[in-house]
Amino acid sequence: MRQRDGMKKTIRPRTKPSDIRRQELMDAAAGLFIEQGVEATTIDAITARAEVAKGTFYHYFSTKNGILEALRAAFSQGFLDRVGAAVDTVPAGDHAARLRQWLVAGVTIYMAEYELHDVVFHQHGRRMQYRTEKNAIVGQLAGLLAAGARDGAWNARNPEFVAVVVYQGFHGAVDDAIERGLQDPAPIAAALFDLFSLMLRT
Amino acid sequence: MRQRDGMKKTIRPRTKPSDIRRQELMDAAAGLFIEQGVEATTIDAITARAEVAKGTFYHYFSTKNGILEALRAAFSQGFLDRVGAAVDTVPAGDHAARLRQWLVAGVTIYMAEYELHDVVFHQHGRRMQYRTEKNAIVGQLAGLLAAGARDGAWNARNPEFVAVVVYQGFHGAVDDAIERGLQDPAPIAAALFDLFSLMLRT
């Protein structure tokens, strides 16, 4: 490998560093995946857009799915790095400010890059799927939250927004419990109720 | 249709009511989808398990995807109905108890029926996908929450659990904002921060 790099430098003086070339292939793939979907994108189209020979693709990736996996890992690591950097602009002892930084950076990055997010995490265009079903359940929760707010039982100025957070928190907590192999719903429901009761305190 | 039902009754006295037969087909399909996946399940296998002729399937559904859609609608409606019934066992004015009922019923149903849930909402077996990426981000949040709890900045007895709820709430709120066509991340991050600050208050 070292030998080959040395030869390349002699023969093609304008050869780019390996990591830049890899990134250019990934950028080309990301653009094409967003524009026309993963299915419709060929390796030929990726190398054409990146302006490299087809063999160069196979130097870095073995399949189209391989470059998709690399994009997924890069999205996740980039999110972590940037959110972590935003948190670290605030002193370690100012915990509330650090949580705020996490949320501001996280929301900003996700909203700015959701097209790439959807391509790498939802290959089958899941974003708009099952919206009716989800909205029905969030609507049920929002009605419950609005009724309590009207009676002064708790504080929920925007019941629709709170319902989204409660619904997703519920969904994620159960997903996590299933992944951990937990069997008893009672402690999970109790922990959720405690958290959401605090969130709704007047 | 009425005519045909009448004829059926004469010729085959043991014919089951239409909605029961439809439900039996759906139960057979649900079992097969869970056991061997949607892809591997044929309409022949569904009708064999339901013990009906193949033509009976096409009386109720036009394709395998059609019965999958019916299962999805039934799952969602069944969840709504049962959670709604649980909520309504408690007086309308006792809002906290109603929220608790929603969470207990919701967690119980989802944990008991997640296999069917996954088949109808995640045809490609999404449950265990991207766990590494998600865990990395939830772990980052959990670290932040644990640090604040150690310093007494807030109350988070189980930072890992709270991190799952915060992560999912964040994710769902942004998904919702994108679906609504909102552009500005600032108010969404601020609303999330307000909610989670309340949740973490000592």
Side-chain angles (χ1 to χ4, degrees):
Chain A
M1 189 68 106
R2 190 173 285 264
Q3 171 78 28
R4 209 167 124 201
D5 281 355
M7 280 176 65
K8 265 200 207 150
K9 270 175 202 148
T10 313
I11 299 164
R12 303 194 310 182
R14 286 182 303 165
T15 292
K16 291 173 185 167
S18 174
D19 54 346
I20 291 183
R21 198 174 281 284
R22 184 172 187 273
Q23 188 59 51
E24 285 176 351
L25 279 161
M26 286 170 65
D27 291 344
L32 288 162
F33 290 163
I34 290 170
E35 286 161 31
Q36 60 192 37
V38 174
E39 288 300 316
T41 299
T42 60
I43 290 174
D44 281 334
I46 295 169
T47 52
R49 180 169 294 196
E51 297 181 342
V52 297
K54 188 157 181 176
T56 307
F57 180 93
Y58 292 105
H59 181 66
Y60 297 103
F61 309 100
S62 51
T63 60
K64 187 168 69 172
N65 199 49
I67 200 166
L68 186 66
E69 280 171 18
L71 284 168
R72 189 148 57 228
F75 186 96
S76 184
Q77 192 58 51
F79 183 94
L80 280 171
D81 290 347
R82 285 180 288 168
V83 169
V87 166
D88 285 337
T89 60
V90 174
D94 192 349
H95 299 286
R98 288 167 73 83
L99 178 60
R100 185 191 284 115
Q101 289 293 95
W102 196 98
L103 291 167
V104 170
V107 172
T108 303
I109 293 168
Y110 185 16
M111 287 186 78
E113 298 175 14
Y114 76 88
E115 288 177 320
L116 181 57
H117 170 279
D118 285 8
V119 160
V120 300
F121 290 107
H122 306 298
Q123 291 168 49
H124 301 276
R126 194 190 62 97
R127 172 165 299 279
M128 302 302 281
Q129 270 191 298
Y130 317 132
R131 195 177 171 174
T132 310
E133 290 85 350
K134 188 175 120 184
N135 284 356
I137 296 171
V138 171
Q140 184 187 49
L141 260 178
L144 196 154
L145 293 168
R150 268 197 307 275
D151 282 5
W154 52 54
N155 191 15
R157 268 169 300 184
N158 187 342
E160 288 287 345
F161 183 81
V162 179
V164 167
V165 172
V166 169
Y167 171 75
Q168 289 293 135
F170 144 74
H171 206 293
V174 176
D175 286 340
D176 188 65
I178 292 166
E179 283 173 11
R180 288 170 192 267
L182 304 181
Q183 304 287 334
D184 184 3
I188 295 148
L192 287 170
F193 178 71
D194 287 349
L195 275 185
F196 295 139
S197 295
L198 290 169
M199 201 167 78
L200 292 165
R201 272 190 300 186
T202 50
Chain B
M1 189 69 107
R2 189 171 286 263
Q3 171 79 25
R4 208 167 124 199
D5 280 356
M7 282 176 64
K8 266 200 207 149
K9 270 174 202 147
T10 313
I11 300 164
R12 303 195 310 184
R14 285 183 302 167
T15 292
K16 290 173 185 169
S18 174
D19 53 346
I20 290 182
R21 199 173 281 284
R22 184 172 187 274
Q23 187 60 49
E24 286 176 350
L25 279 161
M26 285 170 64
D27 291 344
L32 288 163
F33 290 164
I34 290 170
E35 287 160 30
Q36 60 192 38
V38 174
E39 288 298 317
T41 300
T42 61
I43 291 174
D44 280 335
I46 296 169
T47 53
R49 180 169 295 196
E51 297 181 344
V52 298
K54 188 156 182 177
T56 307
F57 180 93
Y58 293 104
H59 181 67
Y60 298 102
F61 309 100
S62 51
T63 60
K64 187 169 70 172
N65 198 50
I67 201 166
L68 186 65
E69 281 171 17
L71 284 168
R72 188 147 58 226
F75 186 95
S76 182
Q77 191 59 50
F79 184 94
L80 279 172
D81 291 347
R82 285 180 287 167
V83 169
V87 167
D88 286 336
T89 60
V90 173
D94 192 350
H95 300 285
R98 289 168 73 83
L99 178 60
R100 184 191 284 114
Q101 289 293 95
W102 196 98
L103 291 167
V104 170
V107 171
T108 303
I109 294 167
Y110 185 17
M111 286 186 79
E113 298 175 15
Y114 76 88
E115 287 177 321
L116 181 57
H117 170 279
D118 284 7
V119 160
V120 299
F121 290 106
H122 305 298
Q123 291 168 48
H124 302 277
R126 195 191 60 98
R127 172 166 299 280
M128 301 302 281
Q129 270 190 298
Y130 316 133
R131 196 175 170 175
T132 310
E133 290 86 350
K134 188 175 119 184
N135 284 357
I137 296 171
V138 170
Q140 185 187 49
L141 261 177
L144 196 153
L145 293 168
R150 268 197 307 275
D151 281 5
W154 53 53
N155 192 13
R157 266 169 300 183
N158 188 343
E160 287 287 345
F161 183 80
V162 178
V164 167
V165 171
V166 169
Y167 171 76
Q168 289 292 135
F170 144 74
H171 206 293
V174 175
D175 287 340
D176 188 66
I178 292 166
E179 283 173 11
R180 288 171 192 268
L182 304 180
Q183 304 288 332
D184 183 3
I188 296 148
L192 287 170
F193 179 72
D194 287 349
L195 276 184
F196 295 138
S197 294
L198 289 169
M199 200 167 79
L200 291 165
R201 267 192 303 188
T202 49

